[in-house]
């Protein structure tokens, strides 16, 4: 474990925590308010540090679809499984291979003889393809705005011809917009994700206060960051205002990482995309631009799959992923669905809400 930095120590100061919790108590309204974050790491911070226990009864923080592994639709895993069972080597990130697809998983495809490999980065996939030119490799590229630049860089670098990409990158702001259309969710404010915002900046969230009168705070990942964000949201509600504020100024700027954005724009175009259990969200996915078609695995292998199934019977991941229910409200939680034997995608990844609650939540 790494030693906390001076900055992290400041953010873990117990007296500061007491002050900010007192501030939250003072600002909390008598009626219920609900703030939604959209980030697996925020959920980890909140649950691991028991922050919900520090909040007044009327202040709820719910988890939105912020886990990139959880929202990967079964159809796109089915594509990878089909290729793995047809002599193509599938390369992807660790958690992905355990996620249930429509009928099986990449792990089961591997057990059935498919060549499925886990890597830490897309450049590992490039190296593998270079070392084994006789094999066909496909990199299943998942993740939000944070990981898309790494994929884009490798595509621009012209990887070997025996490597192509199943692009499953997704974009966070359109998913946040979807949540505002869920009739009975009634969100009162957003805690926008820190990691994604280091790339896209603060600006893309402007739509939320401007078009939806929704207070929005970009926040970091220390417990104090989250508590600060909650207090800032409460202050806006008390003042009857909706503003976009940046709590995470030490890492996030208004414009974000412009170079990374330019690289992504060079390689990808924005398209509609399916999110597991949530359906198709307009302008929420990335696809390779036509000039990079030779690297598009879907076109290269003419991938066609049948009807897909995002949720196994009884799994309520679609409700967990929009913060409609907490994991213990799923009848399968810690019964038929546990981290070693997940029934749903939310129990697989370390960023999945069910997995985080299974490992860290104090459940009464
Ligand atoms: Fe899905 Fe398991 Fe979570 Fe239930 S406990 S919602 S089955 S991941």
């Amino acid at each position: 474990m790494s030693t906390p930095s001076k900055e992290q120590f400041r953010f873990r100061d117990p007296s500061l925590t007491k002050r900010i919790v007192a501030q939250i108590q003072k600002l909390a309204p008598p009626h219920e308010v609900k703030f939604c974050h959209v980030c697996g790491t925020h959920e980890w911070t909140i649950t691991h540090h028991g922050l919900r226990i520090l909040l007044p009864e009327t202040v709820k923080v719910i988890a939105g679809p912020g886990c990139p592994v959880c929202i990967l639709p079964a159809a796109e895993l089915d594509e990878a499984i089909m290729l793995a069972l047809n002599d193509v080597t599938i390369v992807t990130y660790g958690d992905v291979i355990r996620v249930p697809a429509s009928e099986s998983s990449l792990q089961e495809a591997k057990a059935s003889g498919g060549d499925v490999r886990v890597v830490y980065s897309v450049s590992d996939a490039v190296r593998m393809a270079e070392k084994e030119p006789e094999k066909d490799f496909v990199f299943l590229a998942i993740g939000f705005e944070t990981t898309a630049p790494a994929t884009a860089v490798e595509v621009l670098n012209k990887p070997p011809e025996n490597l192509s990409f199943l692009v499953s990158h997704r974009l966070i702001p359109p998913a946040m917009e979807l949540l505002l259309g869920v009739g009975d969710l009634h969100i009162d404010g957003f805690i926008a994700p820190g990691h994604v915002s280091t790339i896209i900046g603060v600006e893309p969230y402007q739509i939320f206060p401007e078009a939806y009168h929704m207070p929005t705070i970009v926040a970091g990942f220390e417990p104090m960051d989250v508590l600060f964000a909650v207090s800032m949201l409460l202050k806006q509600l008390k003042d009857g205002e909706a503003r976009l504020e940046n709590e995470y100024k030490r890492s996030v700027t208004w414009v974000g990482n412009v170079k990374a954005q330019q690289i992504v724009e060079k390689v990808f175009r924005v398209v509609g995309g399916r999110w597991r259990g949530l359906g198709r969200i307009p302008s929420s996915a990335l696809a390779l631009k036509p000039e990079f078609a030779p690297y598009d695995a879907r076109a290269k292998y003419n991938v066609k799959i049948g009807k897909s199934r995002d949720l196994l019977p009884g799994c309520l991941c679609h409700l967990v992923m929009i913060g409609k229910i907490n994991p213990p409200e799923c009848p399968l939680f810690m019964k038929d669905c546990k981290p070693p034997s997940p029934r749903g995608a939310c129990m697989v990844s370390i960023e999945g809400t069910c997995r985080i609650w299974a490992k860290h939540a104090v459940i009464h």
Side-chain angles (χ1 to χ4, degrees):
M1 187 186 272
S2 61
T3 313
S5 65
K6 215 172 151 191
E7 182 77 350
Q8 283 170 318
F9 270 129
R10 189 172 77 76
F11 273 80
R12 290 173 187 181
D13 174 357
S15 67
L16 188 59
T17 310
K18 271 191 195 155
R19 284 209 303 278
I20 192 69
V21 169
Q23 175 81 351
I24 288 172
Q25 300 279 359
K26 217 162 107 189
L27 290 167
H31 58 274
E32 184 177 292
V33 290
K34 212 184 277 170
F35 301 140
C36 180
H37 73 74
V38 199
C39 172
T41 313
H42 275 150
E43 184 54 31
W44 188 93
T45 297
I46 292 164
T47 306
H48 177 79
H49 293 283
L51 299 188
R52 288 189 177 93
I53 297 163
L54 299 177
L55 300 178
E57 284 256 301
T58 55
V59 179
K60 307 282 183 223
V61 179
I62 62 169
C67 158
V69 173
C70 311
I71 59 95
L72 184 62
E76 290 172 32
L77 275 170
D78 292 346
E79 292 175 333
I81 290 168
M82 195 204 82
L83 290 171
L85 296 176
N86 284 280
D87 292 330
V88 174
T89 300
I90 294 293
V91 187
T92 192
Y93 301 116
D95 285 341
V96 177
I97 75 164
R98 296 179 61 231
V99 177
S102 296
E103 302 296 338
S104 61
S105 66
L106 278 168
Q107 195 169 41
E108 285 170 55
K110 185 178 168 75
S112 306
D115 190 359
V116 178
R117 305 184 193 179
V118 169
V119 287
Y120 287 110
S121 75
V122 55
S123 34
D124 293 340
V126 174
R127 276 192 289 275
M128 279 177 190
E130 281 167 349
K131 266 193 196 159
E132 298 170 73
E134 73 289 354
K135 276 181 170 284
D136 269 1
F137 287 83
V138 166
F139 181 69
L140 174 55
I142 73 137
F144 297 129
E145 290 91 334
T146 337
T147 43
T151 308
V153 165
E154 294 301 346
V155 173
L156 275 180
N157 283 344
K158 297 199 171 78
E161 278 177 13
N162 61 330
L163 174 66
S164 56
F165 297 81
L166 265 180
V167 176
S168 292
H169 289 302
R170 294 291 184 272
L171 307 173
I172 281 286
M176 291 169 68
E177 226 175 328
L178 172 102
L179 295 178
L180 296 177
V182 178
D184 54 352
L185 204 53
H186 305 304
I187 293 170
D188 296 289
F190 277 128
I191 299 173
H195 292 141
V196 163
S197 306
T198 59
I199 302 295
I200 66 173
V202 177
E203 201 175 1
Y205 305 109
Q206 224 170 354
I207 184 175
F208 299 111
E210 283 184 6
Y212 298 99
H213 199 73
M214 186 59 53
T216 303
I217 313 286
V218 174
F221 300 105
E222 290 294 326
M224 285 305 300
D225 286 313
V226 177
L227 291 174
F228 271 131
V230 169
S231 116
M232 290 161 83
L233 287 169
L234 287 170
K235 176 80 171 61
Q236 289 194 32
L237 289 183
K238 194 174 168 81
D239 296 343
E241 291 178 356
R243 293 191 307 276
L244 174 58
E245 295 182 272
N246 183 8
E247 184 281 333
Y248 198 27
K249 284 192 180 132
R250 62 191 191 279
S251 298
V252 174
T253 62
W254 180 257
V255 293
N257 184 335
V258 176
K259 200 164 176 204
Q261 292 165 23
Q262 286 168 343
I263 290 169
V264 167
E265 272 165 34
K266 256 190 205 162
V267 172
F268 296 117
R269 63 199 164 94
V270 175
V271 295
R274 283 177 59 97
W275 293 53
R276 182 177 287 248
L278 307 183
R280 194 172 187 80
I281 305 181
S283 306
S284 72
L286 297 175
L288 287 167
K289 284 187 168 172
E291 55 265 45
F292 300 105
Y295 294 115
D296 184 345
R298 289 186 180 98
K300 183 173 177 179
Y301 297 103
N302 193 22
V303 179
K304 295 260 183 300
I305 50 150
K307 215 167 176 278
S308 65
R309 177 177 67 167
D310 277 345
L311 304 169
L312 295 182
C315 171
L316 300 182
C317 277
H318 57 306
L319 300 180
V320 170
M321 278 191 286
I322 58 169
K324 190 85 182 45
I325 64 167
N326 287 324
E329 291 171 71
C330 171
L332 306 183
F333 181 72
M334 297 311 277
K335 295 183 182 89
D336 289 349
C337 182
K338 296 179 181 177
S341 51
R343 293 268 300 174
C346 300
M347 190 60 92
V348 176
S349 164
I350 50 168
E351 293 188 72
T353 303
C354 294
R355 163 86 180 254
I356 293 169
W357 279 59
K359 293 268 183 187
H360 304 282
V362 179
I363 296 160
H364 301 284

